[in-house]
Amino acid sequence: MKPVVQVAPRLAHRMAQMQPSAVREILKVAERPDVLSFAGGLPAPELFPVEAIAAAHAEVLAKDGAFALQYSTTEGYGPLREWISGHMRRQGIAASVNQILITSGSQQGIDLVARILLDPGDVVLVENPTYLAALQVFAAYEAKLVPVASDDDGMQMEGLEALIVAHRPKLIYLVSNFQNPKGTSLSLPRRQQLAALADRYGVVILEDDPYGDLIFRGERLPAVATLGSSNVLRISTFSKTLAPGLRIGWLSGDEALVRKVTIVKQAADLHTATLSQRATATLLRDFDLDGHLAKLRSVYGHRCDTMLAALRANMPAGTTWVEPGGGMFVWMQLPNGLDAEALFAAALAKHVAFVPGSAFFVDAVRRDFLRLNFSNRPPELIIEGMRRLGEVVHAAVASPPPPVVRRAETVPPFAQ
Ligand SMILES: Cc1ncc(COP(=O)(O)O)c(C=O)c1O
C-alpha cells in the first residue's frame, strides 16, 4: 500500500486571530462536580420558569404544530416582535415592529452587526475590559480593536473623540448596564455625550444590554438608543430574564440598518427557531414577567450582597472590588499586583473557581483582576466559596506564586 501523504487543510487567514475562548476553556475545568465555580456567566437555573415554558411549547404544538415546525420569516414571528415593541415602549424606547429583528440570542446580533459593517482592518472601539465573546466576533471579521479606557462610570468619554478622529472607527461597542465583566454602568452624561458623538462622526454604536432588567439597586438609566441618534443599534435578550436555552434575542434601531442586518441573517441561519419564537410569544401572553423580574432582582440582589459581605469578611487588605447595582458579576482586583491566572490552580486545589480577568482585556492585559459570578449559586455556597477563595488569596499574599508563563496558543487573542 502506498503511504498516505497528509496535507493539512488550508484555513482562512482570520483563523490566525481566532483563539478558543479562555472562559470556555476554564469553564470545562470549573464544571467538575467537585468544584464550586463562580466562573460561568450562568443565571440561576432554579428560577427558570420551566413549567410555563413547557406549557407554552405544548400549547403551540397542539394548536399550531405545523406552523411552529415549519420554516419562517427571517424578521421573526410577528406577535413576538409586537410584544417586544410594546415592552420597549414601556421602557421608554420607541421601536416599531419593522425596527425589530429577532436573533438567535443577542450574541448573533453582535455577529450580524459586525458582518454588515466590518471589512478586514476596520477599527472597532471597545470598552476595556469588555465582553470576551464580542471580542471574538470582531476578531472573526479581522477588525482592529482599539481599547477605550473605562472606570466606574463605564467607557470614558475624555479621549474618545480624539480616538474617533484618529482611527475613523466603523463601530463602537459597549455594554451599557452592569457590564460584563465589570458590573459598572455608563453614566447619564456619558450616554448623552456618546449619542452626540455617534451623530457627529457617523459612527454606529452597538449598545448591548442583556443585564438592564436585572437591576436591584439605584435608578434605571435611559438607553443610549433613546438619546436622539439614529446611529445606535441596540441588542437585548431573554437569556437572562427567561432562559438562555430559548436562544431568543432581538436587535432594534434605524429601519434601514435593521433591514441590512436582516439580509445578512438570511445567509447566517435563515431565521431563529420557529418553535422557540412561538413558544416565547405564547408564554409572554399570559406570564407575569414583571413579577418574575421582581423575583430575579430580589434573589440576585441578595446573592450579590452575600458575596460582597463575604469578600469583606475574607479578603486580605488591599483587595478591592466593584459593588454592582445589577447584573451577575463582581469584578475584583487582587492586592500587590497578584496574578489571577497564577492563583487559578491554587483555587482549583481548594475546589473553587473564577475567571482570571486577563481574558477580557484588549491590550495592556492586566493580570491582577478576576471575575466572580453571583447569580448561579445560593447564598450558603457563595459564603463557602468566598471563604475558600479568601484562603487562596491570603496564602498568595504571604507567598506569591510565580506568574504564569503563557504558551503562545494560550495568549488571549488581543494580548500583544
Ligand atoms: C454582554 C453580553 N452580551 C451578549 C451575551 C450573549 O447572550 P445571549 O446570546 O444568550 O443573548 C452575553 C452573555 O453572557 C453577554 O454577557
Side-chain angles (χ1 to χ4, degrees), residues 106-127:
S106 52
Q107 184 66 30
Q108 187 184 43
I110 304 173
D111 186 85
L112 298 178
V113 169
R115 200 177 294 205
I116 66 159
L117 292 175
L118 302 179
D119 293 313
D122 279 345
V123 169
V124 182
L125 298 186
V126 294
E127 272 170 300

Side-chain angles (χ1 to χ4, degrees), residues 29 32 47 56 131 259 352 390:
V29 190
R32 274 179 9 207
L47 297 181
Y131 174 49
R259 179 78 203 131
V352 63

Side-chain angles (χ1 to χ4, degrees), residues 14 137 150 245 266 289 295 330 336:
R14 75 177 70 89
V137 169
S150 71
Q266 285 169 2
L289 184 65
K295 169 97 183 156
V330 169
N336 309 340

Side-chain angles (χ1 to χ4, degrees), residues 105-107 110 131 173 175 180 208 210-211 237 239-240 247:
S106 52
Q107 184 66 30
I110 304 173
Y131 174 49
Y173 168 79
V175 182
N180 178 2
D208 184 3
Y211 300 111
T237 180
S239 287
K240 319 294 173 179
R247 305 310 300 134

Side-chain angles (χ1 to χ4, degrees), residues 78-92:
L80 181 60
R81 292 162 79 210
E82 270 159 35
W83 188 94
I84 290 170
S85 172
H87 175 70
M88 290 176 69
R89 199 175 324 114
R90 286 191 290 282
Q91 296 185 336

Side-chain angles (χ1 to χ4, degrees), residues 212-340:
D213 281 332
L214 302 182
I215 178 168
F216 43 73
R217 244 191 301 277
E219 218 183 304
R220 194 169 185 143
L221 295 171
V224 180
T226 61
L227 299 176
S229 169
S230 59
N231 288 334
V232 181
L233 285 172
R234 184 182 155 80
I235 51 175
S236 196
T237 180
F238 290 115
S239 287
K240 319 294 173 179
T241 50
L242 292 176
L246 292 169
R247 305 310 300 134
I248 303 284
W250 66 93
L251 171 123
S252 59
D254 173 71
E255 201 173 326
L257 274 176
V258 172
R259 179 78 203 131
K260 297 280 181 219
V261 181
T262 308
I263 292 168
V264 295
K265 181 172 164 70
Q266 285 169 2
D269 66 351
L270 304 182
H271 60 79
T272 295
T274 321
L275 176 59
S276 203
Q277 291 192 65
R278 282 184 178 245
T280 303
T282 301
L283 170 86
L284 291 166
R285 187 194 60 206
D286 306 323
F287 188 63
D288 176 14
L289 184 65
D290 287 343
H292 183 65
L293 288 177
K295 169 97 183 156
L296 285 176
R297 288 178 192 134
S298 141
V299 171
Y300 287 4
H302 179 54
R303 290 181 183 191
C304 178
D305 287 345
T306 304
M307 180 170 276
L308 297 175
L311 291 176
R312 273 179 230 119
N314 289 287
M315 291 302 150
T319 317
T320 58
W321 49 84
V322 174
E323 301 208 345
M328 308 201 319
F329 304 108
V330 169
W331 181 243
M332 181 171 123
Q333 183 169 22
L334 294 164
N336 309 340
L338 280 174
D339 182 339

